[in-house]
């Protein structure tokens, strides 16, 4: 048995926190400073986390390595299982040509690349986040942007930046439901609180996207449409999360925001918009020849319907699987077991749930995405051989991302099992009333390490409630803020950087992407810290349900 220790360095929580942060510091310095390939940086950071766990925290080497193997397994299933199958469905549509039809359909809404970025990266990406999450929207929307003429680096940056406001309600609100389980709070109440934080973030994300595309001019010329889109998304997310259904918050918000963009484009003057000027990492290239070849002739309604069919199928499959009776039936296939060799207790001596591994064969979004892909094969008339080749193409495309994700999750589990993560969280929780301002940082940290808002909520949700009780803060506010702050760590997570780089063909350039998004991540985080602090006082306390 291994019992976690909070302050192994000189019996000081502060000094111990500095040592516990070493693996994360190494990871981000290697990515952003040295610009090392993500898979190599992740393996080195993993080695550092193992060294800290064994030689500083006194964790038995065998258990430290076993914790890493559990993390790697969790990285593959369910996380990579979701991404692989989602990209497989996408690759099927590419091989049949239906993805080109879908892109042309989006392009016909507007030929202004700034608005295309908002519609695809933000609205369509939010729909993919709602259905699958776990990196799927980043991978798919970045490729769509490339086809419309965006350079790979710019496409990846846009996709990552847009993948923020929808994340807390992603994969049918899995992060919120998980947060409810680990904190004991009602998931409906937590969802309502998150629905009073992330909609404010949604106001600003489309504005940032048009600025990334075309700088100050892009902001000046398109801010009304971008703001209208963000406002439509935010209002729909708030209303759905508070009064209709927490799992459906992103589905409704994404569709409403897309409709808002289409509506305002149709109503505005027909004069052609100014062509965005080439900016750093530019987006003023011409669309791919394959894409442009049929724009003038257009596609038939039947072709367009077939192009949208895979996404309609995905929505249908996921909605059916959310029906209580169906969900209960599928959940019977779930197998739960303790990871062999791991015996962990908290600093207080309570057994940890970390060694418990849930193998949910049928309820995981990855399997449901696989079923949607099989139905898509039938609808689009794709043979087994072609589908199998598309699956192999997907695995090759993600080979480095697979290593990165498994290494990062191994690192996260080693830090969690040894107590490094709890040390960092407990140190921050000692800030008293000021913790309301620091709370989003804890969520950001959890998502930045694990690449998942769900994992961040599992990691720090209970700690947020404990800190809230000690500081006489609202427990619902602090727990929800963990999830809202966590969405901002998504864009700098090595896991998502690797997926984005693999999707746009920039393997090894994860550091360059990281340097382009980290400032936006920190800027949004500062805003969320301010919002959380104000909501803990009488100024905005009325927003807490």
């Amino acid at each position: 048995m291994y019992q976690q220790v909070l302050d192994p360095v000189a019996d000081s929580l502060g000094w111990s926190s500095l040592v516990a942060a070493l693996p994360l510091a190494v990871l981000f310095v290697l990515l952003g400073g040295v610009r090392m390939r993500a898979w190599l940086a992740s393996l080195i950071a993993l080695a550092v986390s193992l060294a800290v766990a064994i030689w500083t925290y006194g964790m038995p080497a065998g258990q430290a390595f076993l914790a890493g193997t559990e993390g790697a397994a969790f990285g593959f299933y369910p996380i990579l299982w979701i991404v692989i199958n989602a990209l497989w469905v996408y690759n099927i549509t590419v091989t049949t040509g239906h993805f080109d039809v879908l892109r042309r359909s989006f392009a016909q809404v507007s030929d202004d690349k700034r608005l295309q970025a908002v519609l695809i990266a933000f609205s369509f990406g939010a729909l993919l986040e709602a259905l699958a999450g776990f990196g799927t929207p980043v991978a798919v929307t970045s490729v769509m942007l490339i086809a419309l003429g965006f350079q790979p680096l710019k496409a990846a940056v846009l996709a990552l930046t847009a993948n923020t406001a929808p994340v807390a309600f992603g994969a049918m609100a899995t992060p919120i439901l998980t947060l409810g389980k680990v904190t004991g709070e009602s998931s409906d109440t937590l969802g309502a609180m998150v629905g009073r934080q992330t909609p404010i973030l949604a106001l600003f994300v489309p504005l940032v996207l048009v600025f990334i595309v075309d700088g100050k001019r892009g902001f000046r010329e398109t801010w009304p449409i971008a703001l209208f889109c963000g406002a439509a998304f935010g209002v729909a997310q708030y209303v759905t999360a508070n009064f209709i259904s927490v799992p459906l918050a992103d589905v409704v918000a994404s569709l409403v925001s897309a409709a808002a963009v289409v509506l305002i484009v149709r109503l505005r003057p027909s004069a052609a918009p100014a062509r965005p000027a080439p900016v750093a990492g530019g987006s003023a290239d011409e669309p791919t020849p394959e894409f442009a070849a049929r724009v003038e002739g257009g596609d038939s309604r039947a072709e367009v319907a077939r192009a949208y069919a895979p996404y309609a199928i995905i929505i249908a499959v996921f909605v059916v699987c959310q029906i209580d009776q169906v969900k209960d039936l599928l959940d019977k296939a779930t197998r739960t077991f303790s990871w062999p060799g791991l015996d962990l207790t908290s600093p207080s001596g309570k057994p940890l749930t970390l060694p418990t591994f849930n193998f949910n064969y049928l309820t995981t979004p990855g399997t449901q995405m696989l079923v949607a892909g099989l139905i898509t094969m039938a609808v689009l008339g794709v043979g087994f051989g072609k589908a199998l080749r598309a699956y192999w193409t997907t695995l090759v495309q993600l080979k480095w991302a697979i290593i990165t994700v498994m290494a990062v999750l191994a690192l996260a589990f080693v830090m969690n099992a040894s107590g490094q993560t709890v040390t960092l969280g407990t140190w921050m929780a000692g800030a008293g009333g000021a913790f309301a301002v620091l709370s989003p940082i804890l969520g950001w940290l959890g998502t930045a390490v694990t690449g998942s808002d769900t994992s961040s909520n599992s990691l720090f949700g209970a700690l947020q409630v404990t800190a809230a009780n000690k500081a006489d803060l609202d427990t619902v506010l602090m727990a929800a803020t963990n999830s809202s702050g966590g969405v901002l760590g998504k864009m700098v997570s090595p896991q998502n950087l690797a997926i984005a780089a693999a999707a746009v063909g920039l393997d090894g350039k994860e550091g360059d992407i990281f340097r382009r998004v980290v400032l936006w991540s920190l800027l949004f985080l500062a805003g969320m810290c301010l919002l959380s602090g104000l909501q803990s006082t009488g100024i905005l306390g009325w927003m807490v349900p």
Side-chain angles (χ1 to χ4, degrees):
M1 180 187 297
Y2 169 70
Q3 183 171 354
Q4 293 178 337
V5 182
L6 287 179
D7 51 0
V9 181
D11 295 325
S12 168
L13 196 58
W15 286 110
S16 299
S17 296
L18 287 176
V19 176
L22 277 177
L24 305 181
V26 168
L27 180 60
F28 289 125
V29 167
L30 291 179
L31 277 176
V34 182
R35 300 188 187 184
M36 185 177 290
R37 294 173 69 93
W39 67 269
L40 183 56
S42 300
L43 289 174
I44 293 174
L46 171 60
V48 174
S49 71
L50 287 167
V52 172
I54 295 169
W55 287 306
T56 300
Y57 280 78
M59 188 177 189
Q63 293 219 46
F65 281 99
L66 284 171
T69 61
E70 184 186 6
F74 182 79
F76 189 85
Y77 190 96
I79 294 176
L80 283 167
W81 180 238
I82 298 169
V83 176
I84 290 171
N85 287 319
L87 281 181
W88 171 59
V89 176
Y90 153 75
N91 280 328
I92 286 177
T93 65
V94 170
T95 59
T96 60
H98 290 94
F99 189 66
D100 284 329
V101 179
L102 182 67
R103 293 181 300 190
R104 286 192 286 270
S105 175
F106 276 111
Q108 288 174 0
V109 174
S110 173
D111 58 358
D112 189 327
K113 285 186 169 59
R114 298 162 297 194
L115 300 185
Q116 290 172 353
V118 171
L119 182 62
I120 294 174
F122 184 68
S123 297
F124 187 60
L127 179 60
L128 295 176
E129 179 66 37
L131 299 176
F134 298 100
T136 302
V138 171
V140 175
T141 60
S142 58
V143 176
M144 292 180 71
L145 291 173
I146 289 176
L148 290 172
F150 291 79
Q151 292 184 2
L153 181 60
K154 181 59 66 70
V157 170
L158 288 168
L160 285 165
T161 305
N163 192 220
T164 47
V167 168
F169 296 97
M172 292 298 176
T174 296
I176 304 295
L177 298 177
T178 302
L179 186 62
K181 290 180 181 179
V182 300
T183 62
E185 301 284 351
S186 166
S187 58
D188 288 336
T189 305
L190 291 170
M193 184 65 243
V194 174
R196 303 177 190 201
Q197 292 177 322
T198 55
I200 298 175
L201 172 66
L203 282 174
F204 299 97
V205 174
L207 295 172
V208 170
L209 295 180
V210 298
F211 181 82
I212 292 174
V213 172
D214 197 24
K216 293 180 180 178
R217 189 179 79 166
F219 182 87
R220 185 175 63 252
E221 294 180 351
T222 60
W223 72 264
I225 300 179
L227 184 62
F228 185 63
C229 174
F233 184 96
V235 170
Q237 192 181 62
Y238 162 75
V239 171
T240 307
N242 279 269
F243 306 111
I244 302 176
S245 167
V246 171
L248 293 178
D250 275 353
V251 175
V252 175
S254 62
L255 296 176
V256 169
S257 66
V261 174
V262 174
L263 176 64
I264 199 169
V265 168
R266 293 286 185 262
L267 293 178
R268 72 175 181 170
S270 58
R275 181 182 178 83
V279 290
S283 63
D285 295 346
E286 294 296 333
T288 57
E290 296 80 7
F291 168 77
R294 293 186 56 187
V295 171
E296 293 185 4
D299 299 293
S300 67
R301 290 184 178 180
E303 288 178 312
V304 173
R306 284 162 63 86
Y308 280 93
Y311 301 97
I313 291 169
I314 293 171
I315 293 173
V317 169
F318 276 75
V319 169
V320 168
C321 291
Q322 289 300 313
I323 298 173
D324 290 339
Q325 293 84 346
V326 176
K327 193 172 184 178
D328 291 342
L329 181 63
L330 296 177
D331 199 42
K332 292 181 179 179
T334 298
R335 297 291 178 266
T336 301
F337 60 92
S338 294
W339 199 257
L342 273 185
D343 190 2
L344 310 172
T345 63
S346 68
S348 62
K350 295 181 179 179
L352 294 177
T353 59
L354 185 70
T356 302
F357 195 90
N358 292 316
F359 204 45
N360 48 342
Y361 302 92
L362 301 180
T363 55
T364 177
T367 301
Q368 294 167 14
M369 188 66 71
L370 178 63
V371 172
L374 295 174
I375 298 174
T376 298
M377 287 172 54
V379 171
L380 299 184
V382 178
F384 181 76
K386 181 180 286 188
L388 196 61
R389 287 191 293 273
Y391 210 98
W392 176 251
T393 299
T394 303
L395 293 175
V396 172
Q397 181 182 5
L398 290 174
K399 60 181 182 296
W400 298 117
I402 290 173
I403 296 174
T404 301
V405 172
M406 295 180 70
V408 169
L409 266 296
L411 176 150
F413 270 61
V414 170
M415 292 185 65
N416 297 348
S418 64
Q420 296 171 59
T421 307
V422 179
T423 294
L424 289 168
T426 305
W427 175 68
M428 293 180 62
F435 182 69
V437 178
L438 300 178
S439 176
I441 299 177
L442 204 55
W444 181 91
L445 181 67
T447 304
V449 174
T450 64
S452 165
D453 196 40
T454 300
S455 298
S456 179
N457 289 343
S458 298
L459 198 57
F460 290 132
L463 184 63
Q464 293 271 12
V465 171
T466 301
N469 286 323
K470 290 181 179 178
D472 196 26
L473 296 168
D474 189 279
T475 55
V476 170
L477 172 61
M478 292 300 94
T481 300
N482 190 83
S483 193
S484 298
V487 307
L488 304 173
K490 189 87 168 178
M491 68 174 87
V492 296
S493 165
Q495 169 186 313
N496 290 284
L497 291 171
I499 291 171
V504 301
L506 290 179
D507 287 314
K509 300 293 185 180
E510 294 87 356
D512 292 337
I513 301 174
F514 172 79
R515 280 154 35 90
R516 297 294 185 95
V517 299
V518 65
L519 291 180
W520 292 116
S521 178
L522 295 176
L523 181 62
F524 284 142
L525 178 61
M528 189 60 69
C529 289
L530 177 62
L531 176 62
S532 174
L534 291 175
Q535 288 178 329
S536 70
T537 68
I539 299 176
L540 294 180
W542 52 269
M543 296 181 68
V544 180

